[in-house]
Structures are given as structure tokens and as C-alpha cells.
Amino acid sequence: MYDCLIVGAGPAGLTAALYAARANKKVLVLEAKAYGGQIVNAHKVENYPGIKEISGAQYALVLYEQVKALGVEVKMATVLRVTEDKKVITTEGEFTAQSIIIATGAKNRKLNIADEDEFLGRGVSYCATCDGNFYRQKVVAIVGGGNTALEDALYLTDIAEKVYLIHRRDEFRGERKYVNELKTKPNLEIILNSTITALHGHDVLEEITLKNDQGEEQTLAVSALFIAVGQEPSSEAFNNVVDIDPNGYIISPDGVHTKTPGIYVAGDIRQKTLRQLTTAVSDGSIAATTAILEMKAQK
Ligand code: NAP
């Protein structure tokens, strides 16, 4: 029986573990793949207050070591189901805890084209606000038609020399006001009805190939491709103990509680407006502190 079981060893989950362990709680963190979460893909983190610059991988390593040094147990296991009485059924057996913090995050949806993984961090990025600054005065492309792609395209027009916004349909899913604003940007070119079919480069990304609805191909020379084609939250294993919105995010009206007492949510997996490292660690600290206070009140 653990005091606090945390699902997900990204920044939100590890921060929750840090706070719970420092409050002398017996803590277990379950992680399906590797510690660190999405931040390990960030080439450089330059927007975390108090740290001028750090690689995402280094940040994750330091946080992980900080948590381990406090005696937190971290196990590799995929959570299959959670019951209302806080039993966590995993690929590696069952665990019970007084409180559970769900911090499984969301993964960026991939384009699923050849070499996408190979160019990750070397031209391919899923986060314009994290990595846009590395392409100052360069030619970049962004793919997607939702609000993320539109907002990111606007952000990139202030940084890059030229921005191609590539969308697979002739209409954007995102809000009209962003589209109207984008149309006023002289360094933006919108390419509709087109999909990206190939990535090229030696070591770093140099070109992308597009194909339009008529089957015509064109190749663009770009230093970066920002992929903003939506997110895939990892919430299915929890659907009997939390409310989930149509996009798969866990609903928490106050940003910490779920519909089940003793089960809390933190980080990118919850419905929220800003998914950043700063907001993930904030969520983790609030979830752990809330869980600790409520466990104490029950005694
Ligand atoms: P999204 O709204 O799901 O949009 C994803 C976009 O990617 C869609 O345009 C989709 O095309 C395209 N797409 C999906 N798979 C693709 C593929 N394999 N190849 C090419 N294109 C593909 O995702 P999002 O933009 O990340 O936004 C997620 C949610 O957060 C939305 O509810 C959004 O409104 C919200 N959000 C709000 C704000 C804001 O209000 N300021 C900012 C950011 C995000 P189709 O349109 O053809 O399906």
C-alpha cells in the first residue's frame, strides 16, 4: 500500500513525486516507457524561469535523479485499469494506494512519414514555442490546420525569414481570426490541399516534398518542419474513474481533482489552455500537495 501512486514519469509526475516524497510519503511512480516525458525531445529549454538554458534530456535526468535520491520507487509498467477503490492494474501486477495522481501526458500526433523520427531535433519539431527560436531568419514550414498550427505559424512569422503553412484540406479547422491575421503576414505562404510525402537532408533537415490533390509534387527548401497535427492524450486506462472530454483529455473543473475522491490529475493529460514545462511542474506540485492535505484530513 503506497501513500501516493503517480502514473507517468514526465515533469508533472516527477514533480508530484518530489513533493510527496519530501512530505515523507511512500511514493510509487509507474512509467510505461522512459522517464522524462515529452520534454526529452526539446533540444534546448530556454523558457523555464531560473534556468537560462538546458537540454530537455538533461532537465529530465536531473529531475529524475532528484526524485530517486529521495527514495521514490519508479517502476516500468503500463497501467491497464484503475478501480474506484484505487487499485491500479498494470502489465506488471496490481498496486494499491491511498491517492493516485494521473500524469500520463499527451503525445504529439505524428505525421507517420519516413524519417520523421530520424530528423527529430534536427529540423523536425512538434513545438514551435520551444524550438522556433533556433530557426531565426531561416525558412521553415509548419503542417496542420488547427488552432495550434495557426498560432504557431503566427509565432514563427515573427522569427523566421519565411514560413510555409501546409494543410491537407482547403479549409482550416482553427479559428478564422488567426487565418485572417496570417493573411496579413508578408513572410507567410499558405499551401492548401497538400500533404507532406518525404523529408530530405544530410544530418539535418534540408527539404520537404509535398503532393497536392491533383497529384502534383513540389519540393521546398526548409531548415525546419513544425508538426502541429493534434495531440493524442493517454487517458483510456482511466475512463472508469475520470471524466474525459471528446479530445481525450481528463476533465477537472479545478485543475486538480477528478470525479473520484483520491484520484487527481496533473500535466498535459488534463484539459487546460497552456501545455508547457512550467504548467506541468506547477500541476504536479499542486496535485501532490492537495493529495497530502486530503489524506491528512481523512486520518
Ligand atoms: P486539432 O484541432 O485536432 O487540429 C489538428 C489539425 O491537424 C487538423 O487541421 C487536421 O486536419 C490536421 N491533421 C491531423 N492529422 C494529420 C495528418 N496526418 N496529416 C496532416 N494533417 C493532419 O489539434 P490542435 O490544433 O493541436 O488543437 C487541439 C485542441 O486545442 C483544439 O480543440 C484547439 O482548438 C485547441 N487549441 C486552442 C487554442 C486557442 O484557443 N488559442 C490554441 C491551440 C489549441 P483536418 O482539419 O483535415 O482534420
Side-chain angles (χ1 to χ4, degrees):
M1 177 75 158
Y2 291 88
D3 294 317
C4 195
L5 188 154
I6 297 157
V7 191
L14 290 178
T15 303
L18 179 74
Y19 273 68
R22 283 171 59 88
N24 222 13
K25 299 297 172 197
K26 189 175 178 206
V27 184
L28 172 65
V29 178
L30 298 177
E31 169 58 49
K33 288 192 188 121
Y35 72 82
Q38 290 185 63
I39 197 67
V40 298
N41 297 325
H43 176 56
K44 276 188 208 167
V45 177
E46 291 179 327
N47 59 359
Y48 191 87
I51 300 176
K52 264 190 176 170
E53 185 188 303
I54 190 167
S55 75
Q58 178 65 11
Y59 173 83
L61 175 65
V62 175
L63 178 57
Y64 180 74
E65 287 175 346
Q66 191 179 11
V67 164
K68 286 293 286 176
L70 291 168
V72 169
E73 232 182 292
V74 182
K75 276 190 203 298
M76 290 299 143
T78 301
V79 173
L80 304 172
R81 200 162 59 85
V82 176
T83 64
E84 275 180 22
D85 56 351
K86 295 188 271 311
K87 192 182 286 173
V88 179
I89 297 129
T90 81
T91 49
E92 308 303 314
E94 291 183 11
F95 304 92
T96 45
Q98 256 190 285
S99 61
I100 295 170
I101 297 173
I102 303 169
T104 44
K107 339 179 250 303
N108 291 302
R109 185 176 292 133
K110 290 187 173 187
L111 270 185
N112 285 322
I113 53 168
D115 300 326
E116 186 171 352
D117 290 341
E118 281 70 15
F119 284 117
L120 183 60
R122 294 185 294 126
V124 167
S125 168
Y126 297 88
C127 180
T129 47
C130 316
D131 298 330
N133 205 33
F134 304 125
Y135 301 96
R136 202 159 273 282
Q137 294 310 312
K138 305 266 184 190
V139 178
V140 303
I142 176 152
V143 57
N147 277 332
T148 302
L150 299 181
E151 276 191 345
D152 286 357
L154 275 172
Y155 175 78
L156 290 167
T157 55
D158 288 337
I159 295 171
E161 185 196 328
K162 173 159 184 146
V163 180
Y164 294 105
L165 172 59
I166 300 155
H167 182 37
R168 65 183 176 184
R169 291 189 294 130
D170 62 352
E171 214 182 337
F172 287 106
R173 180 180 292 270
E175 289 170 47
R176 192 76 224 164
K177 65 172 180 170
Y178 293 131
V179 180
N180 291 341
E181 202 177 334
L182 279 167
K183 285 183 175 162
T184 68
K185 300 287 180 182
N187 62 341
L188 181 97
E189 185 177 333
I190 295 174
I191 302 177
L192 297 173
N193 299 313
S194 297
T195 52
I196 299 171
T197 54
L199 309 175
H200 316 275
H202 302 98
D203 219 28
V204 294
L205 184 70
E206 290 164 14
E207 289 178 342
I208 57 175
T209 300
L210 315 184
K211 197 179 205 174
N212 69 14
D213 281 359
Q214 275 75 52
E216 296 156 350
E217 287 196 335
Q218 65 169 316
T219 296
L220 305 174
V222 296
S223 300
L225 172 65
F226 292 93
I227 299 173
V229 297
Q231 299 244 315
E232 285 174 349
S234 323
S235 58
E236 315 80 52
F238 311 100
N239 58 13
N240 58 326
V241 285
V242 300
D243 287 325
I244 295 175
D245 76 11
N247 295 317
Y249 295 101
I250 294 175
I251 297 168
S252 168
D254 67 354
V256 61
H257 290 94
T258 67
K259 71 174 183 185
T260 307
I263 300 185
Y264 308 88
V265 65
D268 283 5
I269 187 69
R270 79 171 174 90
Q271 217 180 35
K272 67 197 304 195
T273 50
L274 183 65
R275 294 192 168 84
Q276 291 274 291
L277 183 55
T278 48
T279 61
V281 300
S282 167
D283 277 6
S285 55
I286 293 168
T289 307
T290 307
I292 292 161
L293 287 174
E294 291 180 1
M295 279 189 280
K296 201 171 169 186
Q298 274 174 8
K299 280 188 182 158

